């Protein structure tokens, strides 16, 4: 089967993938930079309480969750660029509103408005419009890396920027990043010749109900929601614990996060390799959730000195990074053929909902129950998730393929049946409105010669 998987991305595709990865990175930087500083610096805002600071930390997730799928659908109708430009302007406006706020309510309003710039689905869809299928996985991996990198940078740069320019300066920097992202969209990212219908990156409304009820995807959606709830709730308490229990001034927190993220990043790599190579992703996932649970209990029992808080942060970010990297890969594996775009849309919505709930819960628990309440609450959340993770099936180790179909092939009612009996093919579906065939294959077991014969030796291109 002669796909073009080894061919290089064109200059236009590289520009599109690089430009959109930067847009994503700047936007995520703006979202996450407040995470390590709002609990400490936000106390100076008028009307601030721990519960309201928690709400400010997670508020963006609520509007993001509500608007992400509608914005993605709107981009199918009116085009990607108008939605992305509008979203970045709304995000910048939210940052400006927060920068000028003198009370905690002003910051909450700014964060809510920031979340309303929900462009994730539209950016992914534009990336599909601008890349050939054999390079789409590579291009999406670039965006995935930019998200991970921006989170790491935000955790370090956020405290440094706030130390130099205050909380208002941090939000002004966020607004500047959004506008810089807008410049990249308008001047660097190429124009797409047409808006493509593509189920590996777009949301198919007719598949929403079935995807929501899919038991294995439901476990993963609960997982990412709980993970981000734990992250937001923990960061209501951890920066304050570093000050009050560890005696570390808030201006110096950046080095704790830098050390934790660096060690955590390199610490997770062997587990990812083991899980994929040995096909033991369930074991890796359950292990990481268990470590997250133990880590919250560790904070509760031993988080009374700087040394132990730093150790706890390192363990926390190792488990967090591992889970953050594993879960989207598992969604791709578990999603039915032609269902990845819809599955990822629901997954992202679950992530943002988790962030909103986590911020609110973390703030409330800290206000009423102190550090112990937050850490025990997060441990209970992790235990809840562990119940779902432990009962999941080992995921299928499959790759998605997509092949455009001719009118003759579309009319062939026996095509899917013939494809499904090929060894190594786990799922196949014809999407008539796209004139395309989606297949999921286990590359280690696939009989390529037989599949090639059934597909009349036409190229099949990788898309996941």
């Amino acid at each position: 089967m002669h796909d073009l998987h080894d061919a290089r991305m064109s200059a236009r595709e590289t520009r599109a993938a690089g430009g959109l990865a930067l847009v994503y990175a700047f936007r995520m930087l703006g979202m996450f930079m407040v995470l390590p500083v709002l609990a400490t610096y936000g106390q100076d805002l008028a009307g601030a309480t721990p519960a309201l600071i928690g709400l400010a930390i997670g508020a963006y997730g609520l509007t993001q969750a509500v608007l992400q799928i509608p914005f993605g659908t709107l981009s199918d109708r009116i085009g990607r660029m108008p939605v992305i430009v509008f979203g970045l302007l709304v995000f910048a406006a939210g940052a400006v509103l927060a920068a000028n706020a003198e009370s905690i309510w002003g910051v909450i309003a700014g964060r809510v408005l920031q979340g309303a710039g929900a462009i994730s689905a539209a950016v992914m869809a534009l990336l599909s419009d601008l890349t050939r299928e054999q390079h789409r996985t590579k291009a999406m991996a670039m965006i995935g890396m930019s998200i991970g990198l921006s989170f790491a940078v935000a955790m370090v740069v956020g405290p440094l920027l706030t130390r130099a320019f205050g909380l208002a300066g941090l939000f002004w920097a966020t607004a500047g990043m959004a506008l810089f992202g807008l410049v990249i969209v308008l001047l660097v990212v190429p124009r797409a010749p047409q808006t493509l219908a593509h189920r590996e990156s777009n949301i198919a409304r007719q598949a929403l109900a079935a995807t929501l009820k899919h038991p294995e995807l439901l476990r993963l959606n609960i997982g990412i929601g709980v993970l981000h709830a734990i992250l937001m709730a923990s960061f209501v308490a951890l920066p304050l614990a570093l000050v009050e229990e560890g005696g570390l001034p808030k201006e110096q927190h950046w080095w704790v996060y830098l050390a934790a993220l660096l060690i955590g990043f390199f610490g997770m790599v062997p587990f990812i390799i083991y899980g994929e190579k040995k096909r033991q992703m369930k074991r890796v996932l359950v292990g990481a959730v268990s470590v997250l649970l133990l880590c919250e209990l560790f904070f509760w029992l031993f988080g009374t000195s700087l040394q132990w808080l730093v150790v706890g942060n390192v363990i926390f970010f190792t488990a967090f990074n591992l889970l953050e990297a594993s879960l989207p890969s598992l969604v791709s594996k578990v999603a039915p053929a032609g269902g990845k775009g819809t599955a990822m849309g629901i997954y992202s919505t679950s992530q943002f909902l988790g962030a909103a709930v986590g911020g609110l819960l973390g703030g409330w628990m800290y206000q009423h129950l102190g550090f112990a309440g937050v850490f025990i609450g997060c441990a209970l959340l992790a235990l809840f998730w562990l119940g779902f993770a432990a009962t999941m099936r080992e995921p299928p180790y499959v790759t998605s393929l997509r092949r455009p179909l001719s009118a003759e092939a579309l009319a062939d009612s026996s095509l899917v049946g013939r494809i499904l009996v090929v060894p190594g093919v786990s799922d196949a579906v014809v999407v008539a409105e796209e004139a395309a065939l989606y297949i999921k294959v286990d590359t280690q077991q696939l009989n390529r010669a037989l599949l090639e014969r059934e597909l009349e030796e036409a190229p099949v291109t990788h898309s996941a």
Side-chain angles (χ1 to χ4, degrees), residues 61-93:
L62 197 58
T63 37
Q64 187 90 13
V66 170
L67 294 174
Q68 195 214 185
I69 289 177
F71 271 31
T73 306
L74 184 64
S75 79
D76 292 339
R77 290 186 184 170
I78 67 170
R80 319 294 186 206
M81 282 296 187
V83 170
I84 293 170
V85 168
F86 175 74
L88 286 170
L89 287 171
V90 169
F91 182 83

Side-chain angles (χ1 to χ4, degrees), residues 43-392:
Q43 293 174 324
D44 299 331
L45 292 164
T49 65
L52 291 178
I53 286 172
L55 177 58
I57 286 173
Y60 79 93
L62 197 58
T63 37
Q64 187 90 13
V66 170
L67 294 174
Q68 195 214 185
I69 289 177
F71 271 31
T73 306
L74 184 64
S75 79
D76 292 339
R77 290 186 184 170
I78 67 170
R80 319 294 186 206
M81 282 296 187
V83 170
I84 293 170
V85 168
F86 175 74
L88 286 170
L89 287 171
V90 169
F91 182 83
V96 170
L97 180 60
N100 285 297
E102 293 180 1
S103 74
I104 189 66
W105 288 107
V107 171
I108 291 168
R111 292 284 281 171
V112 167
L113 193 55
Q114 277 187 313
I119 59 169
S120 308
V123 169
M124 286 301 196
L126 179 59
L127 190 68
S128 289
D129 295 346
L130 291 169
T131 51
R132 289 168 291 165
E133 289 175 31
Q134 63 266 27
H135 298 306
R136 200 158 289 137
T137 303
K138 208 184 304 178
M140 289 188 172
M142 287 172 70
I143 286 191
M145 285 190 293
S146 78
I147 295 169
L149 191 62
S150 63
F151 177 75
V153 170
M155 296 301 292
V156 178
V157 171
L160 289 172
L161 265 178
T162 313
R163 181 172 76 174
F165 304 108
L167 207 51
L170 181 73
F171 283 116
W172 280 117
T174 298
M177 285 175 190
L179 295 177
F180 190 57
L182 191 60
V183 171
I184 292 170
V185 166
L186 296 174
L187 300 183
V188 177
V189 177
R191 295 294 173 268
Q194 59 183 331
T195 298
L196 301 176
H198 193 301
R199 286 198 175 199
E200 292 300 273
S201 52
N202 294 20
I203 293 157
R205 276 175 296 173
Q206 60 270 39
L208 274 171
T211 308
L212 279 167
K213 289 186 281 191
H214 191 295
E216 293 303 307
L217 288 173
L218 185 62
R219 282 183 170 83
L220 298 173
N221 293 332
I222 288 169
I224 191 63
V226 170
L227 181 63
H228 278 257
I230 288 173
L231 177 71
M232 296 299 161
S234 295
F235 271 88
V236 173
L238 279 175
L240 293 168
L242 284 170
V243 173
E244 294 176 24
E245 304 289 339
L248 186 70
K250 59 189 178 184
E251 294 80 13
Q252 293 180 31
H253 287 194
W254 64 272
W255 67 259
V256 175
Y257 303 127
L258 179 62
L261 281 157
L262 279 176
I263 298 168
F265 175 78
F266 290 109
M268 75 161 181
V269 172
F271 296 103
I272 292 278
I273 294 169
Y274 166 76
E276 290 288 353
K277 294 279 186 192
K278 302 289 186 185
R279 301 197 163 194
Q280 294 287 344
M281 283 308 297
K282 178 185 174 181
R283 180 181 290 182
V284 169
L285 181 78
V286 171
V289 178
S290 303
V291 169
L292 203 62
L293 166 59
L294 292 172
C295 191
E296 294 293 341
L297 294 174
F298 178 87
F299 282 133
W300 170 46
L301 294 170
F302 303 107
T304 51
S305 71
L306 181 59
Q307 176 188 349
W308 291 122
L309 283 167
V310 172
V311 168
N313 266 282
V314 169
I315 299 167
F316 179 89
F317 277 110
T318 304
F320 176 83
N321 287 339
L322 180 54
L323 290 162
E324 187 81 350
S326 302
L327 287 166
S329 165
L330 289 168
V331 172
S332 295
K333 288 176 168 61
V334 170
K340 182 182 166 189
T342 308
M344 288 306 298
I346 294 170
Y347 170 87
S348 296
T349 300
S350 305
Q351 174 180 324
F352 294 126
L353 269 176
V357 169
L360 196 57
L361 266 180
W364 184 88
M365 287 187 295
Y366 179 72
Q367 186 164 323
H368 295 283
L369 304 166
F371 293 128
V374 176
F375 298 137
I376 292 171
C378 287
L380 289 172
L381 278 174
L383 185 63
F384 170 73
W385 180 10
L386 190 59
F388 283 94
T391 54
M392 73 181 275

Side-chain angles (χ1 to χ4, degrees), residues 414-436:
S414 67
L415 178 63
V416 169
R418 296 200 315 273
I419 296 295
L420 284 172
V421 298
V422 174
V425 174
S426 62
D427 196 8
V429 66
V430 169
V431 180
E433 59 266 31
E434 290 182 40

